Amino acid sequence: MRFFKAALIAPLLAGLAGCHMTVMDPAGDVATQQRDLILLSTALMLLIVVPVIAATLFFAWKYRASNTRAKYDPEWHHSTRLEVLVWAAPMAIIFVLGTVAWISSHTLDPYRQLDRLAPHRPVPAGVKPLEVQVVALDWKWLFIYPELGVASVNEMAAPVDRPIEFQITATSVMNSFYVPALAGQVYAMPGMQTQMHAVINRAGVYDGISANYSGAGFSDMRFKFKGMAQGDFDRWVAALRADPARLTRADYLQLAQPSTDQPVRHYASVEPGLFAAIVNRCVEPGQACMDQMPGMTRADAGQMAMPSSEPVGGAAPHHAAMTAPVGGE
């Protein structure tokens, strides 16, 4: 019977051997720091969990009914040493974890501009981040490069070792922008603009997903993130500029219609102000933009177009984002 059970489990274990744990093998510095945070937090918690499990098994074995040599003391009720051990160790771990969480929530704040490309490699002076405007549609992703004047659907690329500044929004429902190899997930919300700063350190093609359920086409809402050498990235941009398609507001309204399994699309140009119109909910002709509504000041429009500055769940202030590299909520 044991052999039969082992024979059933073996194929499952063999299948797991082919899995690639992207979160544990990231290609970007931010995701690498998040990986290290996961490992550190797990190790600290195991300092309590492992001894408790070992002590439970030890006491169960030592004080078993058949062990008549074990001391039986029904009047025992207190031990100062045991109380100190039971309470001091967890409190120390909680203090260390709290310190690590506070520091990392600020260091890995997605709104914080990068000060390094990798360990011991600061961002060179004068290097400007690559701006990428991300729009979560039903059910596909639109990437606009405002400085380059091009756009793509379900595919984006960035040069290796160049900081990336993401500006993220959505059209209808809340989504979550997530490239596990690059950084943690950040929410995309209609009428708001969230941000994320990241860098890719290793060339390759990586999976991007929506990490927040958003309806019928959610499971197919995937894209490819390409980390490229600068020369390859320049050729990728040139290929986009050679495409005959142009992304106007009318084209965008058609693209925004719900659809699934959308192929990769390239646009050689983007109508100026399109992303701002998407954020301010005024792409269609005749719609009033949120930042131009009567009686609304520029500060009021900024509050509507940006997430709340109130800390959420004790995390660093002013961002509606999840910095932990986990899928889902």
Side-chain angles (χ1 to χ4, degrees), residues 79-86:
S79 170
T80 301
R81 290 182 180 179
L82 187 60
E83 290 287 343
V84 171
L85 178 64
V86 168

Side-chain angles (χ1 to χ4, degrees), residues 13 42 54 67 72 126 141 153 160 170 188 218 249 252 292:
L13 296 178
T42 302
N67 186 13
Y72 176 64
W141 294 93
V153 173
V160 170
F218 161 76
R249 294 197 180 201
Y252 168 80
Q292 296 177 352

